Structures are given as structure tokens and as C-alpha cells.
């Protein structure tokens, strides 16, 4: 007889989320939904958003529902609120009852309370890098996040910090790789165009670069676009077929 299967730990469930997610966005949204379910308790519903601070900009990168995203974004429009404080200062922020909250002025508390919410708990992730993040939990019940619930949320946030840290690093690496790839592609098309101008004008590389740069300046067109147009024209798909130095044009 086979032994009964043991329930998966939180870390194992998060690992499965990573393996089953199509991309970073898919993973953090699933993580937010999973977090809301884990933190709800007693059959209550909970909202969850995940805030990421990067390059001095804040964004909700994962949300359990559109409502969670909307209440997170209230803070960004006001440039203040518990999730921003938690992420920036890397400390836990607890709002027992929005009806009695004034730390961020009345605008924040009133705006979030208008969504039918009463209590908030924001906890920082440990990302160990320039990027910072926070888990934002919302409930329509005042004093929902008592010490027992807060302790559970703290432990949960510590457990999933490594998974989010890895996901963010992979995302940043992917962004950097995409930017590098675009840069290399631009550089390649420009190098090809320089070679074409050198062959057409029988000039040096420096002179060819100057010809393309002048063409870009005179037409108020990006250098990459000028180069792309020239390369395509040689291949029979463009209209411009030849660039010359200004003095050669005048001499002709």
C-alpha cells in the first residue's frame, strides 16, 4: 500500500507556479492570487498586490484582482501609502482601520476605504538588490491583520522572497538582453550601411560615417532609420539608393 501523499509546502507550491507560468507577468499574477488565498483565512476574501520599486518608479507587477491593482495604484498617484513605505523603508506597515488612519493624509484613507476596504498590511520582500518590493494585503474587515495574521504573513513573505527575487532578476536580465539585442541590431544595420556608402563612394570608413550622419541630420531622421532605408534600397525594397558627400554632389 502506497503511503498517502504529503501536502506540498509553500515553497514547493511556489516552485510549481514558476514552472507552470508562461512568463514573469504570469508568475507574479499567479503569486498574488496564491498569496491572497493563503492570507485570507476563515473563508474570507482578501485582496493582494505586489509592488515593485525600480529606478525610482513604482508599479504593481502582480495582483489578485483588478480591485487590488486599483487600490495599489491609488498610492502611486498620491506618491505615498503603506505599500510604498514598506518597499522604500523595507519595514512592515499595518493599517488596522482606514477609518482611523491619517499617516498619509485623508486622501489616501478615504480613497481606499471607498472601495469597501477597512484594513491593510504591507510587508517588504528581501530582494537583496537595487529593486525593492512589498506584498500588499487588503481586507474589508477592520483589524483583520491581528498579531496572529501578521505573524503568518511575515513568515509567508520570508518563504517566498527568494522565489520573487529570482523571478525579478530573470526579468531584469531579460529586459537587459532585449535592450542589448536591439542595440546590436541597430549597430549591425549601421555597419552594413557604412560599408555600402564606402563601396558607392570609394571613400574611407570615417567619410562614410560622416555622409550617413549628415544625411540623418539634414533629413531630421534617426541614423538607424537612414541606415535601414539604405540597406533596404540596395535589396530592392527601398527608395533611396545612393548617398554622397555634399561637395561631390555639387561637383557633379
Amino acid at each position: 500500500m502506497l503511503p498517502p501523499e504529503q501536502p506540498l509546502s509553500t515553497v514547493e507550491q511556489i516552485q510549481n507556479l514558476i514552472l507552470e507560468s508562461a512568463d514573469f507577468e504570469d508568475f507574479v499574477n499567479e503569486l498574488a492570487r496564491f498569496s491572497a488565498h493563503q492570507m485570507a483565512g476563515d473563508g474570507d476574501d482578501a485582496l493582494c498586490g505586489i509592488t515593485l520599486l525600480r529606478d525610482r518608479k513604482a508599479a504593481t507587477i502582480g495582483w489578485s484582482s483588478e480591485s487590488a491593482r486599483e487600490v495599489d495604484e491609488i498610492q502611486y498617484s498620491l506618491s505615498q501609502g503603506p505599500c510604498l513605505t514598506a518597499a522604500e523603508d523595507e519595514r512592515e506597515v499595518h493599517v488596522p482601520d482606514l477609518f482611523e488612519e491619517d499617516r498619509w493624509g485623508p486622501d489616501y484613507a478615504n480613497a481606499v476605504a471607498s472601495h469597501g476596504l477597512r484594513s491593510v498590511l504591507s510587508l517588504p520582500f528581501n530582494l537583496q538588490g537595487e529593486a525593492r518590493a512589498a506584498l500588499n494585503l487588503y481586507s474589508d474587515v477592520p483589524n483583520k491583520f491581528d498579531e496572529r495574521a501578521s505573524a503568518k504573513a511575515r513568515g509567508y513573505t520570508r518563504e517566498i522572497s527568494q522565489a520573487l527575487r529570482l523571478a525579478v532578476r530573470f526579468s531584469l536580465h531579460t529586459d537587459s538582453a532585449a535592450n542589448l539585442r536591439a542595440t546590436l541590431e541597430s549597430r549591425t544595420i549601421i555597419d552594413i550601411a557604412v560599408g555600402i556608402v564606402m563601396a558607392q563612394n570609394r571613400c574611407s570608413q570615417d567619410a562614410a560615417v560622416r555622409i550617413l550622419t549628415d544625411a540623418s541630420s539634414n533629413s531630421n531622421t534617426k541614423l538607424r532609420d537612414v541606415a535601414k532605408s539604405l540597406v533596404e534600397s540596395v535589396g530592392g525594397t527601398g527608395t533611396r539608393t545612393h548617398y554622397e558627400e555634399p561637395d561631390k554632389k555639387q561637383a557633379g
Side-chain angles (χ1 to χ4, degrees):
M1 183 176 178
L2 295 175
E5 291 187 7
Q6 296 295 318
L8 296 178
S9 67
T10 298
V11 172
E12 289 172 329
Q13 292 181 73
I14 297 300
Q15 288 173 346
N16 285 343
L17 285 182
I18 295 174
L19 294 173
E20 295 168 1
S21 298
D23 51 31
F24 176 72
E25 183 178 347
D26 187 35
F27 166 67
V28 290
N29 279 325
E30 287 299 326
L31 180 62
R33 285 189 281 269
F34 178 79
S35 301
H37 177 72
Q38 291 292 103
M39 294 298 106
D42 300 327
D44 294 331
D45 192 17
L47 301 184
C48 176
I50 298 174
T51 292
L52 179 68
L53 290 182
R54 180 184 170 198
D55 299 329
R56 298 183 180 180
K57 295 180 180 178
T60 297
I61 57 173
W63 51 90
S64 61
S65 66
E66 281 301 319
S67 293
R69 184 181 186 180
E70 289 172 7
V71 292
D72 266 4
E73 290 180 345
I74 288 171
Q75 301 178 69
Y76 311 148
S77 65
L78 297 173
S79 298
Q80 59 180 352
C83 77
L84 291 177
T85 300
E88 290 172 350
D89 298 346
E90 297 184 296
R91 63 181 177 87
E92 180 179 325
V93 180
H94 181 209
V95 180
D97 192 345
L98 285 162
F99 287 0
E100 300 175 2
E101 181 56 59
D102 61 2
R103 276 176 287 182
W104 301 280
D107 290 343
Y108 167 73
N110 291 338
V112 176
S114 70
H115 285 259
L117 299 172
R118 292 290 299 275
S119 55
V120 184
L121 179 65
S122 295
L123 304 104
F125 287 105
N126 179 16
L127 298 188
Q128 296 181 351
E130 292 184 6
R132 296 182 179 181
L135 179 74
N136 314 306
L137 301 169
Y138 303 91
S139 174
D140 57 4
V141 179
N143 301 297
K144 170 66 178 179
F145 305 107
D146 56 18
E147 183 50 40
R148 181 180 176 183
S150 297
K152 180 181 178 181
R154 276 183 225 116
Y156 173 78
T157 305
R158 283 195 299 268
E159 282 188 292
I160 67 174
S161 279
Q162 183 177 12
L164 184 62
R165 180 164 67 243
L166 291 173
V168 168
R169 285 184 179 179
F170 278 126
S171 174
L172 297 182
H173 174 74
T174 300
D175 288 347
S176 298
N179 291 336
L180 176 60
R181 185 161 55 249
T183 300
L184 291 176
E185 288 173 354
S186 295
R187 187 68 260 168
T188 298
I189 202 78
I190 291 171
D191 288 343
I192 293 172
V194 167
I196 292 171
V197 173
M198 289 173 67
Q200 289 179 341
N201 292 273
R202 296 184 179 181
C203 62
S204 67
Q205 182 178 9
D206 287 346
V209 170
R210 187 169 62 253
I211 291 170
L212 288 174
T213 303
D214 287 344
S216 170
S217 177
N218 293 335
S219 63
N220 195 27
T221 306
K222 292 181 180 179
L223 179 59
R224 182 188 185 281
D225 293 336
V226 169
K228 183 180 179 182
S229 175
L230 176 58
V231 172
E232 288 178 347
S233 70
V234 172
T237 60
T239 55
R240 186 65 181 267
T241 61
H242 196 82
Y243 287 102
E244 295 179 348
E245 291 181 270
D247 55 347
K248 285 187 178 181
K249 291 179 181 179
Q250 293 170 1

